């Protein structure tokens, strides 16, 4: 069975470059860490984008508000899926549920990692759209702090993993 078909395998089997005794590397690929540093931040970006789209939508342009509601529903669903994955990991309960709706759709087609990558591309596109459209300034102060927290978690974790991998490679 390939890693795309079974995401509950031993982390060393999923990532062949991971030495079985490398506890730090194993932590970096655990569903809890991935959910906390990637999944939840992406849900926050999607949800805030959807809320801004709803607020920008007008009676003369109801399409934008409707689109916003769909994005919010997508974010909430992905948040629930990430929460289940993280809780299952912490409680050592295997779950076949993917991190997000797109990856779950991909699992049905035996390609969850391809669809997870597509979700990542869409999430980064949402970030860029929020920044380049100027919609980022439409966030309320609590929403802006949520955006900052999501950005911080996501970027610091990517940097931390990269730094660890490079330090390990240099050793």
């Amino acid at each position: 069975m390939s890693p795309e078909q079974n995401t509950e395998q031993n982390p060393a089997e999923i990532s062949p470059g991971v030495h079985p005794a490398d506890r730090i590397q194993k932590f970096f690929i655990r569903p809890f860490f991935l959910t906390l540093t990637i999944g939840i931040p992406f849900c926050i970006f999607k949800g805030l984008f959807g809320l801004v789209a709803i607020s920008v939508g007008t009676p003369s342009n109801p399409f934008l508000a409707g689109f916003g509601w769909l994005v919010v529903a997508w974010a909430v669903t992905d948040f629930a899926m990430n929460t289940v994955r993280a809780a299952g990991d912490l409680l050592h309960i295997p779950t076949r549920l993917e991190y997000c709706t797109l990856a779950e759709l991909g699992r049905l087609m035996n390609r969850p990692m391809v669809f997870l990558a597509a979700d990542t591309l869409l999430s980064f596109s949402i970030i860029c759209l929020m920044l380049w459209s100027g919609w980022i300034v439409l966030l309320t102060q609590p929403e802006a702090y949520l955006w900052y927290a999501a950005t911080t978690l996501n970027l610091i974790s990517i940097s931390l993993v990269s730094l660890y991998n490079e330090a390990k490679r240099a050793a």
Side-chain angles (χ1 to χ4, degrees):
M1 186 174 281
S2 72
E4 291 86 14
Q5 293 170 321
N6 183 0
T7 56
E8 292 303 322
Q9 289 179 325
N10 177 344
E13 292 174 17
I14 294 172
S15 301
V18 176
H19 188 277
D22 192 343
R23 287 188 277 162
I24 295 173
Q25 187 68 30
K26 282 183 184 178
F27 177 73
F28 286 155
I29 60 176
R30 283 190 60 186
F32 174 76
F33 180 80
L34 295 172
T35 292
L36 181 67
T37 63
I38 300 170
I40 299 299
F42 282 7
C43 293
I44 291 169
F45 297 137
K46 291 171 191 170
L48 292 174
F49 173 70
L51 291 175
V52 171
I54 292 166
S55 71
V56 171
T58 62
S60 62
N61 186 3
F63 171 78
L64 197 51
F67 172 75
W69 281 111
L70 286 174
V71 174
V72 168
W74 175 31
V76 168
T77 302
D78 284 3
F79 182 84
M81 293 173 78
N82 271 279
T83 303
V84 168
R85 282 294 299 258
D89 183 47
L90 289 175
L91 298 171
H92 304 289
I93 299 170
T95 175
R96 299 272 307 150
L97 191 64
E98 295 295 335
Y99 291 100
C100 63
T101 52
L102 288 181
E104 190 64 31
L105 178 63
R107 185 176 67 83
L108 298 174
M109 298 179 200
N110 293 324
R111 304 295 295 169
M113 297 307 287
V114 171
F115 283 73
L116 185 62
D119 184 85
T120 300
L121 174 63
L122 287 170
S123 296
F124 283 134
S125 297
I126 285 170
I127 294 166
C128 293
L129 186 59
M130 283 287 288
L131 295 172
W132 284 97
S133 69
W135 281 10
I136 195 82
V137 300
L138 301 176
L139 294 175
T140 64
Q141 187 173 10
E143 290 169 343
Y145 283 129
L146 200 53
W147 184 278
Y148 303 153
T151 303
T152 301
L153 269 174
N154 192 244
L155 295 177
I156 296 294
S157 72
I158 291 169
S159 300
L160 190 68
V161 171
S162 295
L163 179 63
Y164 176 76
N165 288 336
E166 287 306 313
K168 196 170 85 172
R169 188 181 339 245

